[in-house]
Amino acid sequence: MKNALVIAAREFEEKRFVIYAAVAFAILPFLLAVIPGISGKSPQDTIVLSALIFGTTFAIAVAVISGASFIGRDLSDGRMSFYFSRPAGSASIWFGKLTAGILMIVGTFGFIIVPARLATGDRWTRMISSSSTWSVVYLLTIAIALFLIAHVISTFARSRSPLIVFDFAAAVICGVVIRLLLLPLVAGGAIVLLKWLAISLGIAAVVAIVGGGAWQLERGRTDRRRNHLALSQFLWTTMAAALLIAAGYVGWVVSAQPGDLTSHIEASRASSGPFAVISGNAKGRSDYRAAFLLNLDDGSKWRLEPRAQWGVRFTRDGRSAVVPHFAATAAEMFVYTRGKGEPVDTGLTTSDRDFFVSDDGGRIATISDQLLLSVYDVAQKRSLASVRLPFAKSMRAFFVSPDVIRIYLNVPDLKIEELDVRTRALRETGSVPSQAFMVAVPDPSAAHMLVHAFRSDVLFLNDARTGAVIKPLSTSAPVKAASYLRDGRIAFVDGQNSAAVLHILAADGTPQRDISLGAKKWVTILGDDGVRVVLTDTDVASGNRMFEAVNITSGAIEHRQPAHNSVASVVFDPRPSIEPLRDVLDIDAQGHAISWNPATGATRMITGG
Amino acid sequence: MSDNAIRISDLTVRYGRMIAVDHAALDVTRGSVYALVGRNGAGKSSLVRCLLGQQRPQSGSASLFGEDAWSRRTSLMQRVGVVSEDADAPPEMSVAAIARFCSRLYDKWDQDGVEARLRTFGVPLTSRFGSLSKGQRKQVSLAMALAIAPELLVLDDPTLGLDVVARKSLFEEVIGDLADRGTTIFITTHDLAGVETFADRVGMMEHGRIVLDEDVDALKSRFRRIRFAAQPVAIDTAALRPTVMRSWGGGAEAIVSNYDDVSFERMRSTNNIGAAEVEAMSLEEIFIAIAGGNNS
């Protein structure tokens, strides 16, 4: 310890001219402030800014130059024996020189900054912000990091050893491994984890370089090549160990299973078939989000990037899901199919924000921000058509068949357009005049549709292609929800909040059955399984949200289940599903994802608690 | 306590494929003066670095006062004064600053002695080390090395750069005085004439190997130059082994490495050799004879 201080003092004495230069630079901001052409209106601003610029530049320059010379130059000039022929241990030599170097950086920075800080008072605080202390700490941390890096490069370069090729390769490998470690955390939105991983690896690098410096002098002493070898061994071994530990931790973090998810659960499910996407934070994994594409029938799963969750499109036949794999600015589309292990790369890469898929997933259509509608064939891996859509406040588009896409555009009239993929022609097939926002719900064959204006009392049955009115269905009570059933029948809920009624109609609009639901508001029709319609609604008296399975034939409410945060179906297609509804997802009061079977009323836990 | 101040055992140093020191071994007893000689590149400096714990040999060991020089370097250096081959102090430091720095590292330090020696050498304390001549730098290094009253003084080619007066002063006044006071001295040098008067033992390195390690008196007593008035018909090599044999004037000159009077007289009578003149040789002449002989 004493010898380290003696050596530090010697280093300081040798480099005292650097301190003199720092003192000169400390005076310079005050001189600049009195030069009229430079200082402008506020001499204090000039002092603050110039002191910061000079202080930062000076500290970084001192860091790089000192780092490159404080050991490396003594080795290459053959002067290390000056220390080693005296009773000074290798650690004393290293830590003495290191301490002097770091104090020199901090000292020169302080010499330039502190007088300006004292002279400008609160002007400094206002200009640099209240976090000025941290800014200074960050600057000094960067300068000291540069000092250490310069030492490593200097030792390697000055040894003139071919070992530098290995060092370069090791540095590249470290960089690649760090990138590989960071990518899944970036994809998982784990900002806190990323920060701690970066800090941990930074500390490991500092330990590797500082420990490596002591080790290189202990093993290499006056021999520059052996110094290089020893530093190289210590540095890369330590970094390899640190990266191995980090890789183990990151591997554990990203290995989270659906059962491990405990908080911030989010989910979406296919309206048809057993697919669901679920994401959340797992226990002990900080803010990392894991996401899965689940088959609720057999429990099989694929791991997804969490941000892909909201880009998933399920096919209407319930067999597949199309998932975007995000790269830097674009996404590659992959098709996941039930019963198949690996997803299939469609070959389609797009930066377009919206897309939808045909019933069987054989075709994908994208809509760009510039309203360019493009159709892509998955099997042929080629673009089939591309047309520009007219502007609309909102739009819904879906494949009527693999060759026909229908688009409902609110402009605010409901305009109906169709793209014929074979002829690549886009033409308007009809419209529904309205001044209000119109909701159009087509039947399974897309021949007819239910149309009602948002928050209106009127529900119409229209021709889905031309928009022509076939007949009004409800004209007297507020329409709360309307949908087609899978068999083509119509289901809608209307009535005052005190007495909501579920109406079942034939496909042509002939009433078949009215089922009283009681005092309900905020009703949504989730789907049907052929026997029962599944609703979510809010009980007016209790204010509780419930799932309700209503038997279409008997009119009885067979099963009820508290609904806390019911999980929406994510489809671009407004038509009813092809497959029967089997499971309803909900995030319960404890934040767990649960699945409710409306046929049996049974629930099962999907995520852990 | 070991009787040896220095022990080098089977020491080998390699730089890549090049062998700098090849299984070297030597002992230096306490209080003696050992001179290691050898041509440039013979491996002397590598051996000295191992001896001072500055370099780890690939195999073998170097110990000082019975302790391993590599692992116990820090404590050993309290007892060892060193004058390196290349004066190695930072060039920006003044001589006074070097003395101040060194004084803080050693347990004992004779500052007055340092100043007195530097005055004798004519080196001002205020001079920057980098501004001194090569000889003055050596003198500064020597002054620092002597300030701790070392038990062992290691001098790596100390006369390099010194003028004749300074060299004579170094050998006669400094080293001679230290030797008289019982300080062990290990010196590598090309100046054999300088060390001849006080070296107790001499070693010679060639191509990394120690080819000679012997007491100076014994060495000098067995080497003789014999000049024959006429060309001898033959020399009985069993009796006298000529290291060098060459023509000289009308006769011949032989340098023998195993001379003794009895053998010489027997050879003279056996081979019927006429007039012959026997001369003692200096260390330098012996060194040249050995080096030349080995090279030939």
Side-chain angles (χ1 to χ4, degrees):
Chain A
M1 177 68 180
K2 180 200 144 216
N3 286 351
L5 293 176
V6 170
I7 289 166
R10 196 213 73 74
E11 291 281 314
F12 246 103
E13 193 177 334
E14 182 183 326
K15 295 190 174 75
R16 60 190 178 279
F17 68 91
V18 179
I19 301 288
Y20 303 153
V23 171
F25 273 96
I27 297 166
L28 208 52
F30 296 93
L31 294 178
L32 290 176
V34 297
I35 300 173
I38 296 175
S39 66
K41 289 180 181 174
S42 171
Q44 285 202 324
D45 290 357
T46 306
I47 293 171
V48 171
L49 281 176
S50 53
L52 258 184
I53 292 168
F54 291 151
T56 305
T57 309
F58 203 89
I60 286 175
V62 167
V64 173
I65 294 167
S66 300
S69 62
F70 81 115
I71 294 289
R73 199 180 67 179
D74 280 356
L75 280 172
S76 64
D77 290 355
R79 286 207 302 270
M80 203 49 100
S81 57
F82 176 67
Y83 300 97
F84 279 100
S85 57
R86 318 213 177 272
S90 308
S92 297
I93 298 168
W94 166 252
F95 285 107
K97 282 173 162 275
L98 182 74
T99 305
I102 290 173
L103 286 179
M104 190 68 75
I105 294 166
V106 176
T108 52
F109 186 73
F111 269 122
I112 298 171
I113 293 294
V114 170
R117 171 77 180 85
L118 294 176
T120 54
D122 64 342
R123 185 70 195 154
W124 175 282
T125 313
R126 268 183 285 150
M127 278 194 74
I128 310 300
S129 89
S130 57
S131 62
S132 59
T133 307
W134 282 110
S135 305
V136 168
V137 170
Y138 288 143
L139 275 173
L140 288 174
T141 304
I142 291 168
I144 291 168
L146 287 173
F147 171 73
L148 295 173
I149 291 167
H151 158 67
V152 172
I153 294 171
S154 165
T155 300
F156 289 173
R158 288 176 195 260
S159 79
R160 296 178 207 155
S161 162
L163 189 62
I164 200 165
V165 177
F166 165 79
D167 294 311
F168 181 75
V172 170
I173 290 168
C174 274
V176 170
V177 171
I178 289 170
R179 182 181 148 80
L180 290 176
L181 290 179
L182 297 185
L183 280 179
L185 298 185
V186 170
I191 305 301
V192 174
L193 262 187
L194 275 171
K195 190 177 92 175
W196 283 111
L197 185 69
I199 289 172
S200 303
L201 288 177
I203 290 171
V206 168
V207 168
I209 297 175
V210 172
W215 184 250
Q216 76 170 88
L217 288 188
E218 175 54 32
R219 307 299 292 180
R221 301 198 182 171
T222 59
D223 186 319
R224 64 187 176 193
R225 288 199 169 198
R226 283 167 202 245
N227 267 264
H228 180 167
L229 177 66
L231 176 60
S232 196
Q233 284 171 338
F234 194 98
L235 177 68
W236 302 125
T237 305
T238 308
M239 286 310 296
L243 288 175
L244 207 61
I245 293 167
Y249 181 69
V250 171
W252 175 75
V253 166
V254 301
S255 70
Q257 299 300 313
D260 298 325
L261 305 184
T262 54
S263 61
H264 301 93
I265 307 287
E266 287 176 346
S268 58
R269 55 167 293 275
S271 59
S272 183
F275 277 137
V277 174
I278 192 152
S279 71
N281 292 5
K283 194 175 181 181
R285 287 160 170 94
S286 187
D287 58 342
Y288 174 76
R289 288 190 72 75
F292 303 91
L293 175 64
L294 294 175
N295 181 334
L296 297 175
D297 282 353
D298 61 13
S300 62
K301 61 181 181 295
W302 289 276
R303 194 176 293 278
L304 301 183
E305 282 183 41
R307 61 180 167 165
Q309 175 175 11
W310 304 115
V312 174
R313 299 287 184 267
F314 302 103
T315 58
R316 198 162 157 262
D317 65 6
R319 292 179 48 77
S320 304
V322 179
V323 181
H325 288 196
F326 292 99
T329 55
E332 269 186 88
M333 300 297 182
F334 282 76
V335 176
Y336 294 72
T337 304
R338 269 195 278 173
K340 291 188 179 174
E342 292 300 314
V344 174
D345 187 351
T346 63
L348 173 62
T349 301
T350 177
S351 57
D352 295 342
R353 192 168 293 173
D354 291 324
F355 72 98
F356 53 96
V357 296
S358 61
D359 287 0
D360 63 355
R363 288 188 176 174
I364 299 172
T366 64
I367 301 175
S368 73
D369 287 343
Q370 289 74 40
L371 299 179
L372 203 64
L373 171 64
S374 304
V375 184
Y376 184 83
D377 189 275
V378 172
Q380 297 177 53
K381 296 197 172 185
R382 70 183 183 95
S383 181
L384 300 176
S386 193
V387 294
R388 190 173 298 277
L389 299 175
F391 175 79
K393 288 178 178 174
S394 70
M395 66 175 72
R396 294 189 94 179
F398 60 96
F399 280 90
V400 176
S401 70
D403 290 325
V404 178
I405 291 174
R406 185 176 299 160
I407 310 111
Y408 293 119
L409 303 119
N410 277 287
V411 288
D413 286 351
L414 185 70
K415 279 177 65 178
I416 306 167
E417 306 228 2
E418 277 191 358
L419 169 65
D420 187 324
V421 175
R422 286 165 301 191
T423 61
R424 300 178 183 178
L426 177 73
R427 69 187 187 93
E428 186 174 329
T429 58
S431 67
V432 180
S434 172
Q435 292 306 307
F437 181 79
M438 303 290 282
V439 177
V441 182
D443 70 5
S445 65
H448 297 154
M449 66 179 176
L450 302 172
V451 175
H452 72 98
F454 188 62
R455 287 180 179 169
S456 79
D457 296 348
V458 187
L459 177 68
F460 289 99
L461 176 65
N462 292 32
D463 184 288
R465 192 160 183 267
T466 64
V469 175
I470 297 171
K471 64 190 309 188
L473 299 179
S474 170
T475 56
S476 58
V479 176
K480 296 178 186 295
S483 178
Y484 272 98
L485 303 182
R486 290 169 46 254
D487 60 8
R489 284 187 288 171
I490 298 164
F492 74 91
V493 178
D494 68 0
Q496 299 302 321
N497 286 347
S498 56
V501 177
L502 169 63
H503 304 275
I504 305 296
L505 296 82
D508 62 0
T510 307
Q512 290 186 336
R513 184 176 188 87
D514 290 344
I515 302 167
S516 175
L517 297 175
K520 303 289 184 184
K521 58 182 180 178
W522 306 118
V523 182
T524 306
I525 298 171
L526 295 180
D528 72 285
D529 60 5
V531 176
R532 48 195 79 76
V533 175
V534 182
L535 312 169
T536 58
D537 53 39
T538 301
D539 186 81
V540 173
S542 66
N544 294 333
R545 279 182 62 74
M546 301 295 287
F547 291 117
E548 296 186 309
V550 184
N551 189 299
I552 301 168
T553 311
S554 68
I557 296 174
E558 292 183 347
H559 301 290
R560 278 197 171 97
Q561 168 72 18
H564 296 91
N565 190 4
S566 62
V567 173
S569 299
V570 176
V571 285
F572 217 81
D573 197 322
R575 290 173 296 169
S577 65
I578 293 173
E579 290 201 350
L581 178 64
R582 283 175 289 194
D583 288 289
V584 175
L585 281 189
D586 186 36
I587 312 296
D588 70 10
Q590 287 73 44
H592 308 139
I594 60 165
S595 168
W596 178 62
N597 186 326
T600 63
T603 59
R604 66 188 165 101
M605 198 82 95
I606 294 174
T607 61
Chain B
M1 198 168 98
S2 171
D3 286 339
N4 291 321
I6 296 173
R7 166 159 281 182
I8 289 173
S9 307
D10 199 28
L11 188 132
T12 298
V13 176
R14 285 195 202 91
Y15 300 107
R17 291 178 182 173
M18 195 196 84
I19 299 176
V21 182
D22 190 1
H23 299 282
L26 61 86
D27 289 336
V28 179
T29 52
R30 286 173 188 259
S32 67
V33 178
Y34 191 102
L36 183 66
V37 298
R39 301 176 72 180
N40 292 335
K44 302 188 298 293
S45 293
S46 293
L47 187 137
V48 168
R49 280 197 291 274
C50 292
L51 188 65
L52 296 175
Q54 293 178 6
Q55 185 167 341
R56 191 171 206 177
Q58 268 72 28
S59 63
S61 65
S63 61
L64 301 176
F65 309 112
E67 295 186 70
D68 182 61
W70 174 261
S71 58
R72 305 282 299 158
R73 180 193 61 81
T74 308
S75 60
L76 284 170
M77 286 303 112
Q78 289 283 2
R79 304 159 70 183
V80 180
V82 180
V83 177
S84 304
E85 181 180 14
D86 297 315
D88 51 10
E92 300 83 5
M93 285 180 91
S94 68
V95 176
I98 294 169
R100 196 162 52 245
F101 169 69
C102 293
S103 70
R104 292 170 184 159
L105 294 175
Y106 289 98
D107 295 339
K108 53 185 178 182
W109 184 261
D110 177 12
Q111 181 65 22
D112 293 339
V114 170
E115 291 175 12
R117 280 194 192 88
L118 290 172
R119 267 197 304 277
T120 308
F121 295 145
V123 178
L125 277 167
T126 52
S127 302
R128 274 178 61 248
F129 190 73
S131 69
L132 299 175
S133 70
K134 204 165 185 177
Q136 285 176 310
R137 290 183 199 179
K138 287 268 182 180
Q139 287 169 325
V140 170
S141 296
L142 182 63
M144 304 302 159
L146 296 178
I148 60 169
E151 292 175 52
L152 169 65
L153 182 64
V154 177
L155 303 157
D156 194 1
D157 217 344
T159 56
L160 199 68
L162 293 187
D163 57 42
V164 178
V165 177
R167 196 180 306 170
K168 187 172 164 54
S169 161
L170 172 73
F171 284 131
E172 291 180 4
E173 295 166 25
V174 180
I175 298 176
D177 180 50
L178 287 169
D180 290 346
R181 284 192 279 150
T183 305
T184 311
I185 297 172
F186 184 89
I187 182 168
T188 70
T189 185
H190 297 102
D191 191 349
L192 291 159
V195 296
E196 185 162 1
T197 53
F198 56 81
D200 299 308
R201 197 170 174 86
V202 66
M204 184 176 162
M205 285 191 83
E206 269 203 359
H207 306 302
R209 288 180 171 273
I210 292 183
V211 294
L212 177 81
D213 176 24
E214 195 168 358
D215 284 348
V216 172
D217 292 342
L219 179 70
K220 289 179 75 173
S221 69
R222 69 183 177 87
F223 268 85
R224 285 291 185 276
R225 180 186 293 113
I226 306 172
R227 284 175 178 155
F228 303 96
Q231 287 283 355
V233 177
I235 290 180
D236 178 2
T237 53
L240 285 177
R241 193 163 51 247
T243 304
V244 176
M245 187 80 191
R246 58 191 171 216
S247 297
W248 180 75
E253 179 183 84
I255 294 173
V256 295
S257 60
N258 59 340
Y259 179 84
D260 67 72
D261 291 342
V262 176
S263 301
F264 175 69
E265 287 306 329
R266 191 186 320 129
M267 183 201 75
R268 225 172 127 172
S269 57
T270 309
N271 295 299
N272 197 20
I273 292 170
E277 185 182 314
V278 179
E279 279 182 11
M281 295 172 69
S282 68
L283 270 182
E284 191 164 342
E285 289 168 329
I286 295 171
F287 171 71
I288 292 167
I290 295 171
N294 286 351
N295 283 344
S296 65

